[in-house]
Amino acid sequence: MKIAEMMPLDKAFHLRSQSIYDSMRKRFAEKRNIRGKVIRYGREVPFTLEVFRKWLLAQLDGKSGGCGVCAYCRCPLTAENLRVDHRFPPQRGGTLGLSNLAISCDPCNQAKGS
């Protein structure tokens, strides 16, 4: 069952965008081992959840139930099936800012890898 079938599109969009944003923050957070030693220094995501939601809405034609297109293959995407991808991977010098983000479909995101 899809998210949109379980709840209104606005609520589904808010939950999905919150999940994506939280995943980004967790991915770039500082990592410590069992003894408390830092094993990877963290990086701060340079935008807030509200700014991210506005950016995501713009990618979806300004509506939470809108449709955007994959940055790579141009297939249609909704808030339910999109992935947020860094055009230039942060591990290779790409920034964490919105200017480096793109929406993509799952197959393109998987094919691009890191």
Side-chain angles (χ1 to χ4, degrees), residues 79-96:
E80 293 177 335
N81 64 357
L82 66 82
R83 300 287 183 258
V84 175
D85 182 41
H86 288 91
R87 293 177 192 268
F88 300 103
Q91 295 87 347
R92 295 185 183 162
T95 68
L96 299 183

Side-chain angles (χ1 to χ4, degrees), residues 4-70:
E5 294 171 0
M6 297 186 297
M7 64 185 71
L9 289 176
D10 287 339
K11 188 171 182 181
F13 172 79
H14 279 278
L15 288 174
R16 179 83 169 116
S17 59
Q18 175 81 49
S19 173
I20 293 169
Y21 182 76
D22 289 344
S23 294
M24 276 192 279
R25 290 189 64 203
K26 185 177 180 181
R27 179 177 169 204
F28 296 108
E30 181 177 87
K31 303 280 188 211
R32 293 179 176 263
N33 66 12
I34 295 172
R35 295 185 187 121
K37 182 179 177 186
V38 175
I39 56 175
R40 188 182 81 198
Y41 291 101
R43 293 172 64 185
E44 186 71 30
V45 175
F47 47 85
T48 65
L49 175 59
E50 291 309 312
V51 171
F52 177 67
R53 281 186 175 144
K54 287 179 184 176
W55 175 84
L56 195 53
L57 275 174
Q59 304 303 306
L60 297 174
D61 291 334
K63 299 175 282 202
S64 57
C67 188
V69 293
C70 175

